[in-house]
Amino acid sequence: MRFKPSAANFQHFAKHHLNNRLMAFSTPTQTLTSHSTAMADADDHLCSETTDTSAPQPSSNRESSFFETPNGYLTGEARIEKAWSHWKKLGEPKMIVAPMVDNSELPFRILCRKYGAEAAYTPMLHSRIFSENDKYRSQEFTTCKEDRPLFIQFCANDPETLLQAARRVESHCDYVDINLGCPQRIARRGNYGAFLMDKLPLIKSLVEKLALNLTVPVSCKIRIFPDLQDTLNYAKMLEDAGCSLLAVHGRTRDEKDGKKVRANWDAIRVVKNALRIPVLANGNIRHIDDARNCLEQTGADGVLSAESLLENPALFAGFNDHGKVDRGELVVEYLKLCEKYPVPWRMIRSHVHKMLGEWFRIHPHVREDLNKQSRLTFEFLYDMVDRLRDLGVTRPIYEGTFSESLSGNKDGVQVHCLGV
């Protein structure tokens, strides 16, 4: 099904929905409980460093929502000022790890933070499953005190279900984020992500439900419409509904292949200039110079990187701060973090493939050995990195330069890369 511009939808929506009066209610807060035990034994698992949270409290003791004041709910300029006050309190992070399904989990976020990332999103979490399934919560979401600022992202199509999920995590994050940008077929089948762009009243109700009932602000991550005016109307609707920060991916729902379609930074710039809340830019961030250029050209308050960070978690790091970074060293650092903060093996396998992709192209037989492993162990992965090093493969990563030189020898190929 082709994606269609929806100017008519916006006109209908504006007429019947944008003037609704905001209403609120209070219900008990639900939060995750941290444990130092292994994930398999945990119910709502957090890192051992995380401070334990108390049991859900009666609604009368619940903290006020992000926009609530003793005299009612903030409106207009006061809401915008509070949104900016919160962003500034976090230090106005510029370099941010984007949400990636199965790939922006805690160990990877910590690794990226070490190398220049100033904030991070969790992987997309399914709000209904997160609310209902203890095992899903314990395996798919972990955090710790060093993991801040943190955006926790949910996909959803039911406001009440989304609120139930968000209440479990609101004390462990700086924003609860709504995924409105996933363009994949699974999102179409599940009726979430970018496929809610055809259902603007539902999107508005999702944002309002969280904004009026959480103690942390709500953020949204979107894709653009083919028509710029539709995109502007969409962004302004989100702001009016209570969104305190907007991340804009500069591609439409149909533009799934980031390697073939350049993100539209001009559209992001127009959205940034039209809104009064902080705006983040997403798309075309493949190296540190891209991040800097995007900030300059869009005027955005921060940039998100996804796929490129998977290949180089040190993307945001500067040469003067860290010097050259060896891919093998990055993998070893990541694996050590995974031993400290356990995550599902499917995530670990995915990261190893991405980070060592260049090395595997030189020695595909090592990759084949990895693929043959039905059950991974840390010992195997550490030995695999040593094996690649013994074969003479290195790939140091530097900031801001893009030339490559190749040198070969009889026993293997040695690669020296000055690019990211």
Side-chain angles (χ1 to χ4, degrees):
M1 187 174 99
R2 292 284 299 169
F3 179 68
K4 299 179 181 179
S6 56
N9 289 347
F10 271 112
Q11 293 172 0
H12 177 80
F13 177 69
K15 179 178 179 181
H16 294 285
H17 297 279
L18 287 179
N19 293 324
N20 289 344
R21 183 177 180 84
L22 301 180
M23 301 297 290
F25 64 90
S26 295
T27 56
T29 303
Q30 294 175 292
T31 61
L32 288 168
T33 303
S34 65
H35 301 281
S36 58
T37 56
M39 287 198 307
D41 299 324
D43 178 8
D44 300 322
H45 178 83
L46 294 175
C47 304
S48 57
E49 286 86 346
T50 304
T51 304
D52 286 343
T53 56
S54 59
Q57 298 177 350
S59 58
S60 59
N61 293 329
R62 178 176 167 77
E63 295 180 51
S64 56
S65 73
F66 181 70
F67 286 124
E68 189 175 1
T69 68
N71 296 321
Y73 290 89
L74 299 177
T75 58
E77 291 300 325
R79 293 178 60 188
I80 302 303
E81 289 177 7
K82 186 157 188 180
W84 275 105
S85 175
H86 183 76
W87 182 242
K88 290 177 191 247
K89 183 179 178 181
L90 299 178
E92 301 182 82
K94 293 289 188 292
M95 308 297 175
I96 302 168
V97 180
M100 295 173 279
V101 175
D102 282 352
N103 281 298
S104 55
E105 82 293 349
L106 177 61
F108 186 73
R109 295 196 301 268
I110 294 178
L111 181 64
C112 291
R113 289 179 190 276
K114 176 181 177 181
Y115 290 101
E118 299 166 321
Y121 286 72
T122 66
M124 181 194 76
L125 302 170
H126 194 292
S127 59
R128 180 185 58 78
I129 302 175
F130 194 87
S131 298
E132 298 174 353
N133 192 299
D134 293 347
K135 183 177 180 181
Y136 180 86
R137 288 196 298 273
S138 68
Q139 291 186 343
E140 303 303 317
F141 172 64
T142 55
T143 190
C144 59
K145 63 183 180 181
E146 295 83 9
D147 189 30
R148 307 293 282 268
L150 181 65
F151 295 72
I152 298 181
Q153 186 184 78
F154 289 102
C155 68
N157 53 33
D158 178 78
E160 189 60 42
T161 300
L162 175 60
L163 179 60
Q164 290 175 13
R167 280 183 170 158
R168 290 182 175 271
V169 301
E170 62 180 325
S171 63
H172 303 294
C173 65
D174 301 286
Y175 290 91
V176 171
D177 186 79
I178 306 174
N179 181 335
L180 301 173
C182 181
Q184 303 304 321
R185 277 182 290 181
I186 189 172
R188 181 195 294 273
R189 292 196 299 268
N191 188 32
Y192 60 79
F195 296 94
L196 295 184
M197 293 168 75
D198 300 325
K199 303 174 181 178
L200 301 176
L202 174 56
I203 289 178
K204 180 173 182 283
S205 68
L206 291 171
V207 177
E208 284 186 342
K209 176 66 78 171
L210 295 192
L212 295 174
N213 291 282
L214 293 184
T215 60
V216 294
V218 180
S219 62
C220 298
K221 187 171 184 294
I222 67 169
R223 284 187 169 239
I224 60 175
F225 280 91
D227 181 82
L228 181 58
Q229 188 57 54
D230 283 350
T231 302
L232 286 175
N233 291 341
Y234 182 31
K236 290 177 181 177
M237 181 269 286
L238 292 170
E239 181 180 75
D240 291 342
C243 178
S244 293
L245 178 144
L246 185 66
V248 183
H249 188 132
R251 296 184 181 91
T252 68
R253 189 171 69 190
D254 287 339
E255 295 171 339
K256 300 181 182 69
D257 192 339
K259 294 182 179 179
K260 294 181 179 179
V261 181
R262 294 281 294 175
N264 187 343
W265 285 0
D266 289 337
I268 298 175
R269 175 176 49 80
V270 173
V271 172
K272 166 60 185 173
N273 290 338
L275 295 192
R276 298 180 295 166
I277 58 175
V279 172
L280 308 180
N282 187 198
N284 303 347
I285 308 301
R286 296 181 174 89
H287 49 76
I288 190 63
D289 287 345
D290 284 338
R292 294 166 178 159
N293 291 337
C294 184
L295 288 171
E296 181 178 353
Q297 293 181 31
T298 65
D301 302 289
V303 296
L304 279 63
S305 181
E307 292 294 326
S308 296
L309 271 180
L310 296 179
E311 298 178 7
N312 174 21
L315 185 153
F316 291 136
F319 175 82
N320 291 333
D321 292 331
H322 300 286
K324 66 181 182 180
V325 178
D326 181 271
R327 287 182 180 271
E329 293 175 1
L330 287 174
V331 171
V332 169
E333 287 187 70
Y334 171 72
L335 294 175
K336 288 180 178 178
L337 287 167
C338 290
E339 289 189 273
K340 184 176 182 180
Y341 306 118
V343 292
W345 279 105
R346 72 177 190 279
M347 298 181 182
I348 299 173
R349 185 187 293 268
S350 175
H351 281 296
V352 170
H353 270 286
K354 289 286 188 180
M355 281 190 269
L356 295 180
E358 292 291 335
W359 290 14
F360 286 152
R361 279 188 278 275
I362 299 167
H363 292 292
H365 61 284
V366 180
R367 178 182 57 211
E368 291 169 4
D369 288 344
L370 171 61
N371 291 338
K372 290 176 183 177
Q373 304 300 312
S374 59
R375 185 172 183 177
L376 286 177
T377 66
F378 287 109
E379 181 181 11
F380 173 85
L381 293 174
Y382 287 127
D383 287 345
M384 185 186 68
V385 173
D386 290 339
R387 180 182 174 191
L388 286 165
R389 286 169 169 162
D390 290 341
L391 289 169
V393 182
T394 60
R395 186 175 171 85
I397 303 169
Y398 298 87
E399 174 204 7
T401 55
F402 319 112
S403 60
E404 288 191 359
S405 63
L406 297 178
S407 62
N409 57 51
K410 189 173 181 180
D411 297 324
V413 179
Q414 187 173 20
V415 179
H416 299 282
C417 176
L418 302 183
V420 291

